[in-house]
C-alpha cells in the first residue's frame, strides 16, 4: 500500500516562502509522476504542479507559475514544492498525489494515491 505524508505547511506572511515535502512509502516511487493540488475552503481541489517520474518535465498552474517550483529526489522517495512570493490567495490545504502509470497531468482523476494534506495559511 502506498502512503504519502506531507509536511512543511504553516502560517506565513504575504511575500514569504514555504517548502512543502511529501514522503512516499514503497519501492516504486521513481516510476510515477507526482503532483501537488490544493483546496481552499468552499472551493474545489485544484491543480498546482506536476513532475514526471524522472523530474525531466514540470507543469504549473498559471496562478503559481514563476513563484512555485516542484522537484523530486527519487533516492529519498520525496517530492517537494518550493513556494515563494506567497499571496493570501495561496491559502489552502495542500495535497500531494501519485499519478496513475504513465500519467503526469493537471487532472486530479489521473492520480490514484493522495496524502492527508498540510495547511498553508498566508496572512496579508
Amino acid at each position: 500500500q502506498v502512503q504519502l505524508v506531507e509536511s512543511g505547511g504553516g502560517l506565513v506572511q504575504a511575500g514569504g516562502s514555504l517548502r512543502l515535502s511529501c514522503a512516499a512509502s514503497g519501492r516504486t516511487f521513481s516510476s510515477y509522476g507526482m503532483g501537488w493540488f490544493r483546496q481552499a475552503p468552499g472551493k474545489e481541489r485544484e491543480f498546482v504542479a506536476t513532475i514526471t517520474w524522472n523530474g525531466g518535465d514540470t507543469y504549473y498552474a498559471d496562478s503559481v507559475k514563476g513563484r512555485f517550483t516542484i522537484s523530486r529526489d527519487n533516492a529519498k522517495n520525496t517530492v517537494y514544492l518550493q513556494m515563494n512570493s506567497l499571496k493570501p490567495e495561496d491559502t489552502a490545504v495542500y495535497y500531494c498525489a501519485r499519478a496513475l502509470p504513465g500519467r503526469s497531468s493537471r487532472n486530479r482523476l489521473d492520480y490514484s494515491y493522495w496524502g492527508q494534506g498540510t495547511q498553508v495559511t498566508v496572512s496579508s
Side-chain angles (χ1 to χ4, degrees):
Q1 184 74 343
V2 175
Q3 287 189 319
L4 303 174
V5 180
E6 301 96 336
S7 61
L11 174 64
V12 64
Q13 288 188 333
S17 298
L18 283 174
R19 188 195 196 201
L20 306 184
S21 299
C22 172
S25 65
R27 296 177 294 174
T28 59
F29 174 80
S30 61
S31 300
Y32 295 90
M34 297 293 295
W36 286 96
F37 290 76
R38 66 187 181 185
Q39 188 167 16
K43 295 188 176 181
E44 291 191 355
R45 193 169 299 188
E46 65 174 4
F47 168 77
V48 175
T50 187
I51 187 167
T52 51
W53 64 275
N54 63 351
D57 289 295
T58 58
Y59 304 94
Y60 298 91
D62 288 344
S63 59
V64 307
K65 200 173 296 182
R67 300 188 298 121
F68 290 11
T69 303
I70 188 171
S71 61
R72 65 189 297 160
D73 185 338
N74 286 343
K76 295 182 178 180
N77 278 17
T78 301
V79 62
Y80 305 97
L81 186 68
Q82 177 67 43
M83 306 186 295
N84 298 329
S85 302
L86 282 161
K87 304 175 181 180
E89 51 263 44
D90 294 319
T91 295
V93 177
Y94 283 71
Y95 299 89
C96 72
R98 196 188 82 172
L100 291 166
R103 304 289 184 91
S104 180
S105 82
R106 301 167 183 265
N107 188 343
R108 61 183 179 175
L109 297 180
D110 286 333
Y111 292 82
S112 54
Y113 290 98
W114 294 81
Q116 83 289 348
T118 186
Q119 176 71 46
V120 171
T121 303
V122 184
S123 64
S124 57

